Amino acid sequence: MNKSQLPPTAPGLLNSPKNRAIIFQVVALLAVIACAFYFTSNMFDNIEKRGINTGFSFLNETAGFGISQSLIHYDDASSTFLDVFIVGILNSVLVGVLGIIFASILGLLIGVARLSSNYLVAKLSLIYIETFRNIPILLQILFWYNVVLAALPSPRQSFSYFESVFLNNRGLIIPEPIFESGSAFILIAFVIACIVVVFLSRWAKKRHDVTGEEFPLLAVSLVILILSPVLVYFITGQPITAEYPALKGFNFKGGITIIPELLALTFALSIYTATYIAEAVRAGIESVPSGQKEAAKALGLKEHVILRKVVLPQALRVIIPPVINQYLNLVKNSSLATAIGYPEIVTLFSGTTLNQVGQAIEIILMTMAVYLTFSIVISLLLNWINAKMEIKGR
């Protein structure tokens, strides 16, 4: 049968694959909207029947409970639940930033050591990775808090370092800086030094591209970043002093106390996440063709120069994508802090505040929005860095 003998296709809306695809998508979307509307209506009906208050007016009510760590002024007698929400966010950001910094440094070192030609170093790195990666993070948090830090001595028998830093079962006590008049100039000097380092690095890169000569950028940058604030510190009459902790009675007075909950959580998150970052670093280094390393050795470059100038710049393109996921996991795993009572957003807001106010819908949605915001910001920032690291085509 030839084409002229085939029956003609009947015109119609459903006979077109494109139209059918659009119709099916519209129907699916309407079904989702209908389900969401039904469950939302049912939820509000049940709330109204049980006389549960709704809205966000509770944020202006006095909280009435204390918080063991706050980065802003907080008074349990006058601060509101909105202040509790802000304190929880800041404490979550603090542990997230500290965890990311320490996990990145530790993961890089372990990842490089994993490929070391030294048998002992390579095997110890492997044991570290396989041990901490296969123990649940919650157990590690409880281990550091209930076993390691709880075994520290009381304040009277504290471990003392330089007679100004003390470690005991109540935390790490360090001197507190006191900023007096003129200290703002030190901060300004440091910001200017950072700007100078940025322009210096660009100049050094252009100089290297033109002449092929290396500029001691790291050493010069460190000198600028350290020397500039120090010079301004002495020129302005030393406007920053310190309040040293002193043992009075059964505890220390003065200084800054880093609570054991923060220490345990930072240790556990950093050590656990570093195992995955180390594997990403190892995979990235191994992805660099061996010919690149051999060519660098043929030029007479030393091993640390090859790693810094040849291997890592190429390996970063492989390392960054999986590391993004690990940073996101670290921030989300920080919600496990409620197991040891660290005052982050889940403990303070979805825990204590929810128990006092009882408005679960608003509180849970606000907490979810906080973690969603954290994840989006981290993803956008690191994806931007990853795009900068891509090899540009001609």
Side-chain angles (χ1 to χ4, degrees), residues 67 69-72 74 81-95 334 342-349 370-371 374:
I67 299 177
Q69 174 185 293
S70 176
L71 300 181
I72 61 173
Y74 179 84
F81 287 113
L82 179 60
D83 297 322
V84 174
F85 181 66
I86 296 173
V87 170
I89 291 176
L90 293 178
N91 287 343
S92 296
V93 170
L94 174 64
V95 73
S334 67
Y342 176 70
E344 44 79 58
I345 186 68
V346 174
T347 304
L348 292 179
F349 207 61
V370 168
Y371 281 101
F374 287 164

Side-chain angles (χ1 to χ4, degrees), residues 231-251:
L231 287 175
V232 176
Y233 171 77
F234 286 104
I235 292 173
T236 54
Q238 305 179 16
I240 300 179
T241 57
E243 179 188 19
Y244 292 90
L247 182 63
K248 295 182 179 179
F250 295 98
N251 204 355

Side-chain angles (χ1 to χ4, degrees), residues 19-30:
N19 292 338
R20 286 198 303 270
I22 294 174
I23 292 173
F24 291 151
Q25 293 179 49
V26 171
V27 171
L29 178 61
L30 292 175

Side-chain angles (χ1 to χ4, degrees), residues 347-375:
T347 304
L348 292 179
F349 207 61
S350 296
T352 308
T353 301
L354 178 58
N355 291 334
Q356 291 198 8
V357 178
Q359 296 185 216
I361 298 173
E362 295 87 347
I363 290 175
I364 296 300
L365 287 178
M366 290 175 68
T367 306
M368 291 169 61
V370 168
Y371 281 101
L372 179 62
T373 304
F374 287 164
S375 299

Side-chain angles (χ1 to χ4, degrees), residues 173-177 243-246 252-257:
I173 302 97
I174 60 176
E176 179 181 6
E243 179 188 19
Y244 292 90
F252 283 89
K253 300 294 182 182
I256 298 176
T257 300

Side-chain angles (χ1 to χ4, degrees), residues 299-378:
L299 293 173
L301 298 179
K302 296 181 179 180
E303 289 290 339
H304 70 277
V305 177
I306 295 174
L307 180 65
R308 183 165 55 91
K309 293 290 186 180
V310 179
V311 177
L312 284 181
Q314 299 181 72
L316 282 175
R317 301 178 181 94
V318 178
I319 294 172
I320 290 178
V323 167
I324 295 175
N325 291 330
Q326 297 311 317
Y327 286 168
L328 296 177
N329 289 336
L330 186 149
V331 172
K332 289 181 285 189
N333 285 337
S334 67
S335 62
L336 295 173
T338 188
I340 58 175
Y342 176 70
E344 44 79 58
I345 186 68
V346 174
T347 304
L348 292 179
F349 207 61
S350 296
T352 308
T353 301
L354 178 58
N355 291 334
Q356 291 198 8
V357 178
Q359 296 185 216
I361 298 173
E362 295 87 347
I363 290 175
I364 296 300
L365 287 178
M366 290 175 68
T367 306
M368 291 169 61
V370 168
Y371 281 101
L372 179 62
T373 304
F374 287 164
S375 299
I376 291 175
V377 170
I378 293 173

